[in-house]
C-alpha cells in the first residue's frame, strides 16, 4: 500500500499535462491504423504542420491568461499572407523588410484591440469580432478580391526548408516558444500576466499598471498571429483568402486544452504546444479514416467542449 502511494506521489510530481496523454494515445491509434504515419519522417512533418497553429495559439493563450479573447487572429493571418505575397512579389530583396512590416501590422492590430478592451473597457469578444470583420474587409479591398504575388525562395525556406532532417518551421516555433516559456517563467511580467487575469486591482496595488499588462498581451497576440500568417505564407508560397478560416476557433480550443481558462489566471505555453500537436495528429487520423468535413466539425466541437469542461474542473480544484 505504501509503495503504491509513493508511486502515485512520484507520478503527481511529474505534473504531466492531461493533453500529453491524449496526444500519446492518438499517436498509438494512428500507428495501428496506419503504421507508415508514425515513421520518424512523418512525425517530424507533424511538427512542421503544427507551426502556424502553435504560433497563433501561443498568442491566444497569453490573452486568455488575462481573461481576454482574440477572435481577430484568423483575419490577421489572412491579411498578413496577402500583404506578404503582394508586396514581396517573388523578390528576395523584399523578404526581410516586408516581413518586418507584416509583424508591425500585427502589433498595431493588437494595440488597437488592447486599447479598446483595456482602456475603453469594452468586451474583448465584441471588440475582436468587430476587428475580424474589419480586417477581412481591408484584405478584400487591398487584394481586389483576387490576391496576387508570391513568396521568394529565401523566405519560403522558413516554411519548406530543412536543417539536416529537422524542418525549419519546427525550429522557428521551438526557438520562439522557448523564449516565451523562459520569459513567462523567470521574468516578472509572467507573474504579472497571471495575476492580472486573477485580480487586476491587486496588481495595481503592487505598483504595476494592469492596463499596460493587458495592452502588452494583446500586442503580443497580434504579433504571434502575424508570425503564424508569415509561416503559412512561407509554406504555401502564394496569397490566399481562405487559409485562416480554421485558426480562430482552433486557437481557442488549443489554448483551453493546454490549460487556459476563459476566466483568466491560467495557461501553459507548453500545454498549448502539446495541444497544437494533438490537433495536427487528430487531423491526420481523420484523413486516414476518410472522415468527411461534417465529422471533422463534430470532433472539433467535442474537443472545445471537453476543453471547457476541463478548465471548469481545474477552476473548482
Amino acid at each position: 500500500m505504501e509503495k503504491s502511494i509513493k508511486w502515485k506521489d512520484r507520478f503527481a510530481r511529474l505534473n504531466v499535462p492531461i493533453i500529453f496523454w491524449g496526444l500519446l494515445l492518438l499517436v498509438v491509434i494512428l500507428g495501428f491504423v496506419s503504421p507508415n504515419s508514425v515513421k520518424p519522417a512523418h512525425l517530424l512533418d507533424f511538427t512542421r504542420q503544427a507551426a502556424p497553429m502553435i504560433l497563433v495559439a501561443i498568442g491566444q493563450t497569453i490573452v486568455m491568461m488575462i481573461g481576454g479573447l482574440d477572435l481577430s487572429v484568423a483575419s490577421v493571418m489572412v491579411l498578413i499572407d496577402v500583404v506578404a505575397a503582394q508586396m514581396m512579389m517573388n523578390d528576395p530583396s523584399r523578404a526581410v523588410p516586408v516581413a518586418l512590416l507584416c509583424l508591425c501590422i500585427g502589433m498595431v492590430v493588437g494595440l488597437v484591440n488592447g486599447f479598446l478592451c483595456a482602456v475603453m473597457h469594452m468586451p474583448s469578444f465584441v471588440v475582436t469580432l468587430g476587428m475580424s470583420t474589419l480586417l477581412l474587409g481591408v484584405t478584400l479591398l487591398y487584394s481586389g478580391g483576387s490576391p496576387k504575388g508570391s513568396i521568394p525562395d529565401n523566405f519560403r525556406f522558413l516554411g519548406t526548408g530543412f536543417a539536416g532532417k529537422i524542418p525549419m518551421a519546427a525550429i522557428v516555433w521551438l526557438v520562439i516558444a522557448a523564449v516565451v516559456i523562459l520569459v513567462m517563467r523567470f521574468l516578472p511580467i509572467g507573474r504579472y500576466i497571471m495575476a492580472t487575469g486573477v485580480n487586476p486591482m491587486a496588481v495595481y496595488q503592487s505598483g504595476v499598471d494592469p492596463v499596460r499588462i493587458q495592452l502588452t498581451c494583446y500586442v503580443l497576440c497580434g504579433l504571434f498571429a502575424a508570425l503564424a500568417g508569415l509561416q503559412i505564407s512561407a509554406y504555401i508560397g502564394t496569397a490566399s483568402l481562405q487559409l485562416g478560416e480554421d485558426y480562430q476557433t482552433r486557437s481557442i480550443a488549443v489554448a483551453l486544452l493546454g490549460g487556459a481558462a476563459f476566466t483568466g489566471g491560467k495557461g501553459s505555453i507548453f500545454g498549448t504546444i502539446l495541444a497544437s500537436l494533438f490537433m495536427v495528429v487528430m487531423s491526420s487520423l481523420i484523413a486516414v479514416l476518410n472522415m468527411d468535413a461534417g465529422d471533422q466539425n463534430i470532433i472539433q466541437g467535442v474537443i472545445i467542449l471537453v476543453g471547457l469542461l476541463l478548465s471548469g474542473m481545474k477552476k473548482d480544484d
Side-chain angles (χ1 to χ4, degrees), residues 205-270:
Q205 292 175 347
S206 68
V208 178
D209 186 0
V211 172
R212 290 186 179 181
I213 299 299
Q214 292 170 339
L215 283 172
T216 300
C217 289
Y218 278 101
V219 169
L220 287 174
C221 189
L223 174 63
F224 281 109
L227 282 169
L230 287 173
Q231 187 65 63
I232 289 184
S233 297
Y235 179 68
I236 65 175
T238 59
S240 172
L241 295 175
Q242 312 297 328
L243 63 85
E245 289 180 347
D246 294 335
Y247 288 92
Q248 182 166 294
T249 53
R250 287 192 178 188
S251 64
I252 298 171
V254 162
L256 288 171
L257 288 172
F262 284 126
T263 52
K266 294 181 179 181
S268 166
I269 303 301
F270 180 61

Side-chain angles (χ1 to χ4, degrees), residues 12 20 32 54-55 57 65-66 69 149 183 194 203 219 240 250 286:
F20 170 80
F32 277 112
I54 288 173
L55 291 173
M65 285 177 180
I66 60 169
L69 197 65
V183 168
M194 287 294 192
V203 175
V219 169
S240 172
R250 287 192 178 188
I286 289 173

Side-chain angles (χ1 to χ4, degrees), residues 18-304:
I18 295 175
I19 190 61
F20 170 80
W21 304 112
L23 173 60
L24 185 62
L25 177 62
L26 273 186
V27 172
V28 171
I29 294 173
L30 184 61
F32 277 112
V33 175
S34 176
N36 289 333
S37 297
V38 293
K39 290 182 177 180
H42 285 88
L43 292 177
L44 283 174
D45 192 54
F46 288 149
T47 65
R48 177 194 59 75
Q49 295 176 41
M53 178 60 71
I54 288 173
L55 291 173
V56 70
I58 287 175
Q60 190 74 260
T61 300
I62 292 173
V63 166
M64 292 181 71
M65 285 177 180
I66 60 169
L69 197 65
D70 193 339
L71 298 179
S72 67
V73 291
S75 297
V76 171
M77 292 173 67
V78 175
L79 175 62
I80 293 305
D81 176 54
V82 171
V83 170
Q86 294 199 174
M87 292 192 71
M88 290 184 186
M89 293 299 291
N90 205 29
D91 184 349
S93 65
R94 297 184 180 183
V96 173
V98 171
L100 292 175
L101 173 63
C102 288
L103 295 181
C104 290
I105 291 173
M107 294 172 69
V108 169
V109 172
L111 182 62
V112 174
N113 284 337
F115 176 80
L116 294 175
C117 294
V119 179
M120 303 302 294
H121 303 291
M122 298 175 66
S124 60
F125 178 88
V126 176
V127 169
T128 56
L129 183 60
M131 178 61 74
S132 176
T133 304
L134 173 64
L135 292 177
L136 286 176
V138 170
T139 305
L140 287 172
L141 284 174
Y142 178 71
S143 65
S146 179
K148 304 173 180 63
S150 59
I151 306 298
D153 290 339
N154 64 333
F155 193 79
R156 290 206 65 189
F157 179 73
L158 296 176
T160 61
F162 288 82
K165 294 184 178 180
I166 309 298
M168 278 303 301
I171 294 175
V172 170
W173 69 253
L174 278 169
V175 172
I176 293 174
V179 171
V180 175
I181 290 172
L182 290 174
V183 168
M184 292 294 296
R185 186 170 182 83
F186 295 107
L187 294 186
I189 190 172
R191 296 189 297 272
Y192 295 149
I193 289 173
M194 287 294 192
T196 299
V198 176
N199 190 341
M201 184 55 66
V203 175
Y204 178 77
Q205 292 175 347
S206 68
V208 178
D209 186 0
V211 172
R212 290 186 179 181
I213 299 299
Q214 292 170 339
L215 283 172
T216 300
C217 289
Y218 278 101
V219 169
L220 287 174
C221 189
L223 174 63
F224 281 109
L227 282 169
L230 287 173
Q231 187 65 63
I232 289 184
S233 297
Y235 179 68
I236 65 175
T238 59
S240 172
L241 295 175
Q242 312 297 328
L243 63 85
E245 289 180 347
D246 294 335
Y247 288 92
Q248 182 166 294
T249 53
R250 287 192 178 188
S251 64
I252 298 171
V254 162
L256 288 171
L257 288 172
F262 284 126
T263 52
K266 294 181 179 181
S268 166
I269 303 301
F270 180 61
T272 293
I273 293 171
L274 292 176
S276 299
L277 292 169
F278 176 90
M279 284 291 214
V280 170
V281 176
M282 182 192 69
S283 297
S284 179
L285 180 60
I286 289 173
V288 169
L289 295 176
N290 292 320
M291 293 184 180
D292 58 25
D295 293 328
Q296 295 182 39
N297 289 333
I298 291 173
I299 292 173
Q300 180 177 323
V302 169
I303 287 175
I304 293 174

